[in-house]
Amino acid sequence: MEKRLLDAAMEGDIKSLHGLLQEDPLILHRSMVSCVSETPLHVSSMLGHVNFVQELLSLNPELASELDSHGCSALHLAAAKGHVEIVKELVKVDPGTCTVRNEDGKTPLHLAAIKGKVEVARVLVRACPESARAVTERDETALHLCVGNNRLVGLKSLIEEIWKNDDQLLNWKDCDGNTVLHLAVAKKQIEIIKFLLTSRGLDINATNKNGFTALDTLRQSPRDLRDMEIECILKDAGVLSAKDLHIITPDWHPSPTKVPRITKSMVSNVSTERSISGKPLMVHKHTDWLGRKRSALMVVASLIATVAFQSAITPPGGVWQADEHFDKAGNPLKYPLKAGTAVMAYSQKTEYGQFMIFNTLAFLASLSIILLLVSGLPIRRRRWMWLQMVIMWIAITAQVLTYFISLRYMSPESAKGMLHDVTQISVLTWLCLMLVVFIGNVVRMNLWILRKYGYIKEKEQEQEPPPAEVNDDDEDI
């Protein structure tokens, strides 16, 4: 009987259901207490048999609150599958199932958010506004799940519905203290970020448990080509870093009778004046100059290496597609053509040699940068960063020369006169720019050396007594 009932539920056969009820009027009640994990309502709700679901609920409304072996109600299954009409029928009979969590800690609204079932989410929030406040085991709301699964349309719909009842849910934080904006920035979801920044009531400068705002989260995440665009979007909307918000959580409080213990890590990170013996101790503001330079060099070096590699395997003019040993007259060629070899190497040997030299130089220089950055060697000082910058200048210059050689080869004879003039002007301009950059960095390096060895003193050091020396082993001052 139970098997026949499940078969009827799978087919949505109301006539078979009535026939079974005539044979055993208690069959629906027996299905609730049997060892079968899924009731007929679970099966028909999952498969979308609206009429069968309506008939079951009219005969036994208690089926709506039954859970399967995974802790899911029929509403969970209908919501995950996006059966809007069935969801309406189920919440009409038992609205309380909207807040029931399965063994994974998710409510029907959570499943609808994950799957992007927009209309189902609307029905659930309207039927039970409390379901919008239900969270997962990681304290994630349905909004977090929409962002986590890149469901922009579902997010817009949910925010529109939730705003009517709770304008603070948009700033809810998960177990790590992340709001939906933190999560969208971490996942580099540009369209969702733009939408969230236009939403009313969003705290754009909320911080997580690490003290990071959304802007700090971007800077701490792995570098990406979208980072610059996202940073511009955040800054234009007024998003600040925790540093700019002056959020300071001191780890210790100075005593008026005891000099505090100061370590190298404190000296490098503290940017305010501490009072020692009644006189201010001037500590220079720490900047992550080296970290930013390393990230920028890695991105640019990867890009140049990719372009140079592609240029090497697909040179200007392409490659021969088949072997050729004889010309059109049937005479043997002095230099037989081989499939896969560059056309340019046969037609313009000198230009091909120049092209490969500069392209190889750009490729190896950029790979050298990447190797140095990932080598793990102690090359975090400024002098090593300057060396890497010089290598990067070489790679960029070689890439520019490769571009002009390719351009000249691919241009027809009628355009080469004008192209020659344009090339001369462009190369001259580029060399002037490189010279200005080189001179500027030489000046900076000389000033740094002079300051390091005491030939130039900074204003703060001239006006105030020098700070106490910090031992390498973090000894007390």
Side-chain angles (χ1 to χ4, degrees), residues 165-287:
N165 303 297
D166 190 347
D167 58 355
Q168 294 300 317
L169 197 60
L170 192 59
N171 297 313
W172 184 272
K173 298 181 179 181
D174 63 13
C175 63
D176 296 320
N178 292 319
T179 64
V180 287
L181 183 59
H182 284 94
L183 197 58
V185 170
K187 290 182 172 291
K188 313 294 176 71
Q189 297 166 340
I190 296 178
E191 294 303 320
I192 291 182
I193 293 171
K194 290 180 180 178
F195 167 71
L196 289 173
L197 292 175
T198 60
S199 301
R200 295 177 299 165
L202 177 69
D203 183 3
I204 59 176
N205 288 314
T207 57
N208 60 17
K209 287 187 176 180
N210 292 324
F212 293 159
T213 64
L215 188 58
D216 297 318
T217 300
L218 176 66
R219 292 171 177 172
Q220 295 295 325
S221 62
R223 305 306 294 172
D224 192 286
L225 294 177
R226 296 168 290 180
D227 286 3
M228 187 176 296
E229 181 181 357
I230 295 174
E231 185 166 352
C232 290
I233 293 171
L234 294 175
K235 288 185 176 179
D236 290 343
V239 181
L240 303 174
S241 65
K243 186 177 181 181
D244 295 329
L245 291 172
H246 304 292
I247 298 174
I248 303 175
T249 308
D251 294 329
W252 48 267
H253 300 277
S255 171
T257 58
K258 184 178 179 180
V259 179
R261 175 185 175 89
I262 299 179
T263 64
K264 290 167 66 175
S265 60
M266 293 179 182
V267 173
S268 63
N269 289 290
V270 177
S271 60
T272 57
E273 298 181 359
R274 303 291 185 189
S275 176
I276 297 182
S277 302
K279 295 182 180 181
L281 172 64
M282 302 300 297
V283 183
H284 294 290
K285 185 178 180 181
H286 173 72
T287 59

Side-chain angles (χ1 to χ4, degrees), residues 76-89:
H76 281 88
L77 303 180
K81 295 288 288 186
H83 300 313
V84 180
E85 294 303 321
I86 293 180
V87 169
K88 290 180 180 179
E89 295 295 328

Side-chain angles (χ1 to χ4, degrees), residues 396-415:
I396 295 175
T397 303
Q399 194 67 45
V400 169
L401 295 175
T402 302
Y403 167 79
F404 281 113
I405 293 173
S406 302
L407 192 63
R408 288 177 61 85
Y409 173 77
M410 294 187 295
S411 301
E413 292 294 335
S414 59

Side-chain angles (χ1 to χ4, degrees), residues 424-437:
Q424 283 186 331
I425 296 172
S426 301
V427 172
L428 182 60
T429 304
W430 177 261
L431 292 177
C432 291
L433 177 62
M434 291 294 294
L435 181 62
V436 170
V437 173

Side-chain angles (χ1 to χ4, degrees), residues 381-384 386 444-458 461:
R381 296 183 179 275
R382 286 177 179 264
R383 65 174 70 95
W384 294 110
W386 283 329
R444 286 182 60 196
M445 183 176 67
N446 289 331
L447 290 175
W448 175 74
I449 293 174
L450 293 174
R451 288 194 187 97
K452 181 177 181 180
Y453 291 100
Y455 293 104
I456 297 179
K457 294 183 178 180
E458 297 183 3
Q461 293 175 340

Side-chain angles (χ1 to χ4, degrees), residues 317-328 331-349 409:
V319 296
W320 296 111
Q321 301 300 314
D323 293 341
E324 293 186 18
H325 300 279
F326 302 93
D327 58 16
K328 294 181 179 180
N331 300 318
L333 294 172
K334 183 179 181 180
Y335 299 104
L337 307 180
K338 295 184 178 180
T341 56
V343 175
M344 187 179 180
Y346 291 88
S347 58
Q348 296 189 24
K349 296 181 180 180
Y409 173 77

